[in-house]
Amino acid sequence: MSKNNPPARSNDVILHQLLKLIPRGMVGKIARETGIDGKARSFSVLSHLTAMLFAQLTHAIGLNDVCDWLRLKARVLARHGLGAPSRNGLSHANKERDAAFIEKLFWEQLAHLQHISPSFAGGTKGQGLLRRFKVRIHAVDSTVIQLYANAMDWAKHRRRKAAAKMHLRLDLHTFLPSFALVDTAAHHDNKRAREVCAGLLAGEIVVFDKAYVDFSHLAGLDARGVSWVSRAKDNMLFRVRRNLTKGRENIIKDQIIVLTGKKHAGLEVRRVVAWVEVDGEWREMVFLTNNMDWSPATVCDLYRRRWDIEVFFKQVKQCLKLSNFLGHSANAVRWQVYSALLVYVLLRFMAHLSQWGHSFTRLFTVSRSALWERLDLLGLLKSYGTASGRFKVLGALQHAWLPGFEPVRM
């Protein structure tokens, strides 16, 4: 922290400064729309929301941890019209209050922040690939959230295991979610492909791995004017219609192919076979796309950007509370997952305003350590670091890797 520019004092603790980013009118409106306001008597909807965000910001280890901590800070909470929950009260709220509330609040809050700060909505054009494309590029993937099989029968997907799965569409320009779906892990990714990609607009680009390959869905994307890039499955049946580019560095084949399988016979796609360096080793990889105009190198580069969504999952899972759930029901799990996404967006917004130049991990730890301090959060974040200039939240967790164990880039 810079000694020359210490953060100013504030009348509010940092926890409440983050809460004030969420309009109270929005909370009340969504509570009425989802019907949970009628279930909130002694434990208000706003107090419930505060408890769930607090659990994320502190990485609390359980219900007792959350409730005991907030009870010790009851006077501070009372100044802002908030109450400390009991253990049973918080557990019951997570089970009975429809998680549609926190899901809807997350999307409306994201839209609200993007409205009041157009530069937050626009993101950065970045360098290289993102600068070359004037349209939105999205990455689609899923992450498995491990649960307790003996307590969460609804989520069992193997004999002795239980898990939920979050399907996500990430805007690579803003590094913010544009769609999220929380479900059990029993369904294959390609069963959710249509839902995840439903909001894509003509001219936009989406990148996903081969787990999401469903050729009837991909044909639908092509008909809507959406460009896509993925990897080919090993058992794909096809015949070559035409060979394209030759002689490009590291490009083995660039072809127009026609699928010959029973379900998708006649569908025409582009197939690019290239040498790709992964962890210092060159591997042959096969990519598919519906765009016939890009260079084969661009197809490879676009798929390489899919790694960004893996970085997003690492940031959320390492920093926020997506384990040791505060409830065993599907509703409680959804409450916790969308609370994590909401905290992520609030912190990213503060990072944007303060031109934060460090990793998201450090952003989280700074905010957590000062949660009950009466300091101006924006000034606190600006006081970190000695370099000048405009920065952005680092997209990768460079300091979390040991030498020789860097993540696979493809």
Side-chain angles (χ1 to χ4, degrees), residues 261-265:
K262 293 182 180 180
K263 292 184 179 180
H264 313 292

Side-chain angles (χ1 to χ4, degrees), residues 246-363:
K246 294 182 179 180
R248 295 293 182 91
E249 184 179 4
N250 300 330
I251 303 300
I252 302 172
K253 296 178 182 178
D254 183 9
Q255 306 167 321
I256 304 296
I257 65 171
V258 179
L259 302 184
T260 58
K262 293 182 180 180
K263 292 184 179 180
H264 313 292
L267 180 63
E268 186 176 272
V269 296
R270 185 178 179 187
R271 178 175 180 264
V272 176
V273 185
W275 288 108
V276 179
E277 187 177 7
V278 181
D279 286 348
E281 296 182 359
W282 289 94
R283 300 181 186 178
E284 182 180 308
M285 291 188 175
V286 183
F287 305 102
L288 298 178
T289 182
N290 64 330
N291 191 294
M292 307 301 174
D293 299 323
W294 293 330
S295 71
T298 296
V299 175
C300 299
D301 289 342
L302 278 167
Y303 190 83
R304 185 183 298 274
R305 291 310 301 260
R306 194 193 69 83
W307 172 252
D308 289 359
I309 196 170
E310 302 288 355
V311 174
F312 173 86
F313 287 141
K314 283 179 179 291
Q315 288 183 348
V316 174
K317 281 188 166 183
Q318 288 179 0
C319 296
L320 301 174
K321 186 173 176 58
L322 288 176
S323 60
N324 297 323
F325 281 80
L326 303 180
H328 293 157
S329 67
N331 195 68
V333 169
R334 287 179 62 209
W335 260 98
Q336 196 158 324
V337 171
Y338 279 102
S339 295
L341 293 177
L342 182 55
V343 167
Y344 174 84
V345 167
L346 294 177
L347 291 179
R348 280 290 313 279
F349 183 71
M350 294 305 299
H352 171 74
L353 295 182
S354 64
Q355 300 181 15
W356 179 257
H358 305 279
S359 68
F360 179 79
T361 304
R362 193 173 186 195
L363 171 67

Side-chain angles (χ1 to χ4, degrees), residues 154-172:
W154 58 270
K156 283 189 176 180
H157 73 112
R158 293 181 184 175
R159 184 176 180 182
R160 296 182 180 180
K161 292 185 178 181
K165 184 178 283 189
M166 178 169 64
H167 301 268
L168 190 87
R169 188 174 77 234
L170 186 72
D171 185 331
L172 296 182

Side-chain angles (χ1 to χ4, degrees), residues 62-126:
L63 285 168
N64 286 332
D65 192 16
V66 176
C67 298
D68 291 346
W69 203 336
L70 291 178
R71 193 176 297 118
L72 290 172
K73 300 293 183 179
R75 289 185 179 181
V76 179
L77 294 174
R79 293 192 191 102
H80 306 296
L82 303 171
S86 66
R87 185 183 187 281
N88 288 339
L90 181 55
S91 177
H92 184 267
N94 286 340
K95 182 179 180 181
E96 298 298 330
R97 296 181 184 179
D98 193 349
F101 164 81
I102 188 67
E103 180 178 354
K104 192 169 185 179
L105 179 65
F106 167 71
W107 292 115
E108 290 201 15
Q109 176 63 19
L110 177 58
H112 170 69
L113 295 177
Q114 291 177 326
H115 174 72
I116 64 177
S117 178
S119 56
F120 183 61
T124 176
K125 293 183 179 179

Side-chain angles (χ1 to χ4, degrees), residues 3 6 15 61 72 85 118 131 138 156 158 209 216 235 242 288 294 318 384 386 405:
K3 295 181 180 180
L15 174 62
I61 60 176
L72 290 172
R131 186 180 294 277
H138 303 265
K156 283 189 176 180
R158 293 181 184 175
D209 67 12
S216 59
N235 59 352
R242 181 158 51 101
L288 298 178
W294 293 330
Q318 288 179 0
Y384 271 79
T386 57
F405 289 87

Side-chain angles (χ1 to χ4, degrees), residues 116-159:
I116 64 177
S117 178
S119 56
F120 183 61
T124 176
K125 293 183 179 179
Q127 298 178 350
L129 185 67
L130 292 184
R131 186 180 294 277
R132 301 206 309 265
F133 284 93
K134 305 300 182 183
V135 298
R136 291 286 179 183
I137 303 175
H138 303 265
V140 169
D141 205 351
S142 66
T143 186
V144 174
I145 303 169
Q146 295 297 330
L147 305 174
Y148 294 106
N150 60 347
M152 300 181 176
D153 293 337
W154 58 270
K156 283 189 176 180
H157 73 112
R158 293 181 184 175
R159 184 176 180 182

